[in-house]
């Protein structure tokens, strides 16, 4: 999608489609709406009063002008009351617009962006929400079905009309688009079947990102992991015919490799549960168990395009978790990269094992702060539902920065408790330093606490996206399937870090 910014009155130019925001106001129309109402001989007032033109937030109404305006068709985006509309609402309203444009096969559209502004919504906010909402909502995973003969028509040209500085608006449009594109890339990775996205192929994808955006990359194979002692990740891989990969990408935003933010994503490309095997209903959809890795890779794509002045290391421990005569078993004791030994009580608690070596390796690469992202536990779904990401932390200051980024992204995070009792439960083993599954009660807490044993004193935030990585229903910002959860939060966190840690 290409865009242009125009500092002129949009009604002085011709448009096939002109998009205008419509507020629920008791007073008369203002600005461009007043001009449109005059051009249409007061018909807008009548249509609103009669209910044919809705001001309700996230509703879209198309209206042909029948030659009475320079715009052939007006698309009204209902916004509700000015005092009530949030940035999240506006992003979803533009998402609703994007779906209509896609279904109507519109290739070019003009937007009177100033009609979407309020006391709390500034021009740059509206511009970012516009491209972000349209791009997210237009996403579709084509899959592997035979394509119809009907040619695709996508939105190619976006013209934004505003009194705002052209450079400022262009930058906002770029940020919104890049955030959405990174999220859509993460969605595609999660939607791919496990036979087409193995650990090796995920590593290939990461290398392509590195080559495209100038990242440093390191891909460790099985023999290298064995020589380094990555026993936790290797244990998960024992039953698989597919080799594991430890994937590392580095973005050097500064001359010196200091003040490094580490992103660690769980890359389990398919999870059978191992010998603690999942039931038939629970095993379907386990191709999405690499949602954390996808979020990290999506965020790295955003970083590559925006080039923030922040050092970032991304680490992804990647493998599948299969059953075979070689697979690891309950009662096994393994040794992690950190040297800590782990008693295996549940082979379906494999993600935290992979993350243990991933977090340790991120520290070895100089990470001063760590955020890990993982589809880790069903327990977080029981606790918070399907629309909230659970978080644990050992550092409130870092968590507040993550929370601030998530609020800007519109990705809800809820902090879970992290106590000495949780730590003691994962340290309780008669034969090893740790156990990987203390029990079902508080399972999301113990899983996070286990990872915390490897973060140790490094400031760390754990994000459990088991509920938010996928959705069964279409929504304003996308279809059913992968959501790309936490991609934008991570990218915005890095952008904020670059400003706060200069």
């Amino acid at each position: 999608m290409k865009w242009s910014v125009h500092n002129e009155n949009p009604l002085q130019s011709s448009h096939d489609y002109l998009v205008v925001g419509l507020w629920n106001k008791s007073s008369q129309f203002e600005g461009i709406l007043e001009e449109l109402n005059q051009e249409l001989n007061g018909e807008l007032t009548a249509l609103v009063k009669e209910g044919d033109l809705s001001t309700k937030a996230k509703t879209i109404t198309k209206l042909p002008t029948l030659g009475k305006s320079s715009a052939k068709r007006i698309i009204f985006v209902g916004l509700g009351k000015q005092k009530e509309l949030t940035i999240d609402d506006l992003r979803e309203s533009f998402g609703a617009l994007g779906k209509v444009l896609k279904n109507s096969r519109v290739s070019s559209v003009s937007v009177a962006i100033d009609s979407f502004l309020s006391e709390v919504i500034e021009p740059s906010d509206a511009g970012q929400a516009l491209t972000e909402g349209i791009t997210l909502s237009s996403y579709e995973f084509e899959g592997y079905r035979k394509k119809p003969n009907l040619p695709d028509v996508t939105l190619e040209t976006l013209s934004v009309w505003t009194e705002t500085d052209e450079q400022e608006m262009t930058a906002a449009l770029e940020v919104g688009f890049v955030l959405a594109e990174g999220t859509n890339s993460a969605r595609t990775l999660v939607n791919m079947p496990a036979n087409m996205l193995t650990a090796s192929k995920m590593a290939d994808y990461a290398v392509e990102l590195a080559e495209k955006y100038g990242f440093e990359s390191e891909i460790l194979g099985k023999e290298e992991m064995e020589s380094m002692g990555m026993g936790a990740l290797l244990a998960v891989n024992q039953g698989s015919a597919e080799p594991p990969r430890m994937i590392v990408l580095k973005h050097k935003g500064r001359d010196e490799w200091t003040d490094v933010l580490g992103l660690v994503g769980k890359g389990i490309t398919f999870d059978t549960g191992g010998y603690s095997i999942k039931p038939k209903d629970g095993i379907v959809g386990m191709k999405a168990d690499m949602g954390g890795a996808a979020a990290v890779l999506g965020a790295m794509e955003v970083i590559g395009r925006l080039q923030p002045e922040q050092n970032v290391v991304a680490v992804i421990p990647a493998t599948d978790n299969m059953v075979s005569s070689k697979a690891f078993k309950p009662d096994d004791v393994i040794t992690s990269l950190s040297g800590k030994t782990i008693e295996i009580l549940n082979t379906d608690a494999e993600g935290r094992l992979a993350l243990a070596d991933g977090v340790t390796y991120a520290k070895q690469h100089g990470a001063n702060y760590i955020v890990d992202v993982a589809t880790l536990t069903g327990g977080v779904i029981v606790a918070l539902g399907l629309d909230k990401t659970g978080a644990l932390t050992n550092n409130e200051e870092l968590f507040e920065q993550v929370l601030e980024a998530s609020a800007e992204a519109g990705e809800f995070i809820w902090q879970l408790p992290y106590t000495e009792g949780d730590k003691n439960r994962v340290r309780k083993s008669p034969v090893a330093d740790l156990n990987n599954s203390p029990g079902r009660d508080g399972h999301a807490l113990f899983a996070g606490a286990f990872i915390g044993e490897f973060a140790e004193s490094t400031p760390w935030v754990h994000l459990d996206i088991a509920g938010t990585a996928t959705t069964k229903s279409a929504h304003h910002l996308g279809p059913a399937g992968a959501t790309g959860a936490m991609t934008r939060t991570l990218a915005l966190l890095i952008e904020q870090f670059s400003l706060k840690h200069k």
Side-chain angles (χ1 to χ4, degrees), residues 43 46 52 58 78-79 87 96 104 220 224 304 315-316 352 381 388 404 434 455 493:
E43 285 297 318
D52 294 317
K58 304 170 193 176
L79 299 174
I87 292 295
S104 301
L220 300 183
E224 293 164 298
V315 178
I316 296 170
R352 67 202 70 176
I381 299 174
K388 303 171 192 71
E404 183 181 342
L434 307 170
L493 171 67

Side-chain angles (χ1 to χ4, degrees), residues 3-7 109-113 127 130 158-162 169 173:
W3 51 81
S4 57
V5 178
H6 307 270
N7 295 132
V109 70
S110 298
V111 179
I113 199 71
L130 172 64
L158 175 66
S159 300
V160 176
W161 301 75
T162 180
M169 181 58 65
L173 296 169

Side-chain angles (χ1 to χ4, degrees), residues 123-204:
S124 58
D125 297 328
Q128 181 174 327
L130 172 64
T131 48
E132 196 173 350
I134 288 177
T135 307
L136 287 171
S137 68
S138 302
Y139 172 79
E140 181 180 3
F141 181 66
E142 295 182 354
Y144 307 96
R145 295 169 294 185
K146 186 178 180 181
K147 292 184 179 180
N149 293 326
L150 190 67
D152 289 336
V153 177
T154 59
L155 183 62
E156 297 177 354
T157 305
L158 175 66
S159 300
V160 176
W161 301 75
T162 180
E163 295 179 0
T164 305
D165 176 72
E166 181 180 343
Q167 187 174 356
E168 177 185 343
M169 181 58 65
T170 299
L173 296 169
E174 172 74 13
V175 170
F177 179 72
V178 169
L179 287 169
E181 283 279 279
T183 302
N184 288 344
S185 294
R187 287 170 166 177
T188 295
L189 289 171
V190 175
N191 284 328
M192 291 177 68
N195 63 322
M196 296 189 179
L197 186 67
T198 62
S200 298
K201 291 179 180 177
M202 187 186 294
D204 293 341

Side-chain angles (χ1 to χ4, degrees), residues 73-140:
R73 305 170 193 84
I74 308 294
I75 301 180
F76 294 95
V77 179
L79 299 174
K81 296 181 179 179
Q82 270 191 328
K83 292 183 179 180
E84 297 178 358
L85 192 80
T86 65
I87 292 295
D88 291 347
D89 293 329
L90 182 59
R91 187 188 296 114
E92 291 190 357
S93 295
F94 284 132
L97 169 66
K99 286 179 177 282
V100 169
L101 295 176
K102 182 176 181 179
N103 292 334
S104 301
R105 299 170 61 81
V106 175
S107 61
S108 178
V109 70
S110 298
V111 179
I113 199 71
D114 291 353
S115 62
F116 293 86
L117 306 183
S118 70
E119 291 182 3
V120 296
I121 297 174
E122 298 180 354
S124 58
D125 297 328
Q128 181 174 327
L130 172 64
T131 48
E132 196 173 350
I134 288 177
T135 307
L136 287 171
S137 68
S138 302
Y139 172 79
E140 181 180 3

Side-chain angles (χ1 to χ4, degrees), residues 166-490:
E166 181 180 343
Q167 187 174 356
E168 177 185 343
M169 181 58 65
T170 299
L173 296 169
E174 172 74 13
V175 170
F177 179 72
V178 169
L179 287 169
E181 283 279 279
T183 302
N184 288 344
S185 294
R187 287 170 166 177
T188 295
L189 289 171
V190 175
N191 284 328
M192 291 177 68
N195 63 322
M196 296 189 179
L197 186 67
T198 62
S200 298
K201 291 179 180 177
M202 187 186 294
D204 293 341
Y205 179 88
V207 170
E208 289 175 7
L209 284 182
E211 292 174 349
K212 185 173 183 179
Y213 297 114
F215 303 142
E216 289 186 15
S217 65
E218 178 187 47
I219 309 296
L220 300 183
K222 188 173 183 177
E223 291 183 0
E224 293 164 298
M225 293 182 209
E226 289 172 341
S227 67
M228 297 179 70
M230 294 184 177
L233 176 57
L234 288 168
V236 181
N237 179 255
Q238 273 179 216
S240 178
E242 290 287 342
R245 293 288 185 267
M246 182 66 84
I247 301 165
V248 180
L249 296 176
K250 286 184 177 179
H251 167 71
K252 289 190 172 182
R254 299 173 186 168
D255 293 335
E256 295 184 5
W257 188 245
T258 57
D259 200 40
V260 181
L261 179 59
L263 306 180
V264 183
K266 174 184 171 184
I268 304 298
T269 58
F270 193 84
D271 183 18
T272 67
Y275 275 109
S276 305
I277 197 163
K278 295 179 183 291
K280 64 177 182 180
D281 293 335
I283 205 169
V284 175
M286 282 298 106
K287 67 178 185 178
D289 209 21
M290 38 60 68
V296 170
L297 290 170
M300 291 303 290
E301 179 180 329
V302 177
I303 293 166
R305 296 178 71 167
L306 297 182
Q307 293 291 314
E309 294 180 7
Q310 174 62 41
N311 292 328
V312 181
V313 58
V315 178
I316 296 170
T319 180
D320 50 9
N321 182 24
M322 305 298 287
V323 183
S324 77
S325 62
K326 296 181 179 180
F328 76 136
K329 309 170 295 298
D331 294 333
D332 283 359
V333 174
I334 62 175
T335 303
S336 67
L337 176 61
S338 72
K340 293 179 181 180
T341 56
I342 305 164
E343 180 186 12
I344 304 301
L345 299 181
N346 180 0
T347 62
D348 195 22
E350 87 299 328
R352 67 202 70 176
L353 300 176
L355 288 168
D357 281 351
V359 166
T360 301
Y361 202 49
K363 289 164 62 178
Q364 291 183 3
H365 271 280
N368 304 109
Y369 313 87
I370 291 175
V371 179
D372 81 79
V373 191
T375 50
L376 206 62
T377 65
V380 79
I381 299 174
V382 174
L384 300 178
L386 294 167
D387 61 339
K388 303 171 192 71
T389 292
L392 273 78
T393 187
N394 65 3
N395 186 282
E396 289 298 325
E397 183 179 353
L398 178 60
F399 175 72
E400 286 299 321
Q401 293 181 65
V402 175
L403 190 64
E404 183 181 342
S406 73
E408 184 177 346
E411 298 185 308
F412 190 95
I413 289 176
W414 187 259
Q415 185 177 4
L416 298 168
Y418 177 46
T419 68
E420 288 301 315
D422 302 324
K423 298 174 187 178
N424 289 333
R425 287 284 294 271
V426 301
R427 292 170 183 167
K428 189 176 181 180
S429 169
V431 294
D433 298 319
L434 307 170
N435 79 80
N436 80 323
S437 185
R440 290 179 61 83
D441 59 307
H443 187 57
L445 309 183
F446 302 143
F450 181 90
I451 301 167
E453 292 298 302
F454 299 88
E456 298 177 312
S457 60
T458 302
W460 156 77
V461 173
H462 162 64
L463 300 173
D464 192 336
I465 59 171
T468 54
T470 59
T471 178
K472 294 181 180 179
S473 305
H475 50 100
H476 288 301
L477 294 178
T483 62
M486 292 297 110
T487 300
R488 288 176 295 133
T489 292
L490 294 179

Side-chain angles (χ1 to χ4, degrees), residues 9-32:
N9 185 335
L11 295 182
Q12 295 178 356
S13 300
S14 60
H15 315 274
D16 285 336
Y17 293 89
L18 177 62
V19 178
V20 179
L22 186 62
W23 297 98
N24 182 358
K25 287 185 175 182
S26 56
S27 59
Q28 294 182 341
F29 292 128
E30 300 173 352
I32 189 173

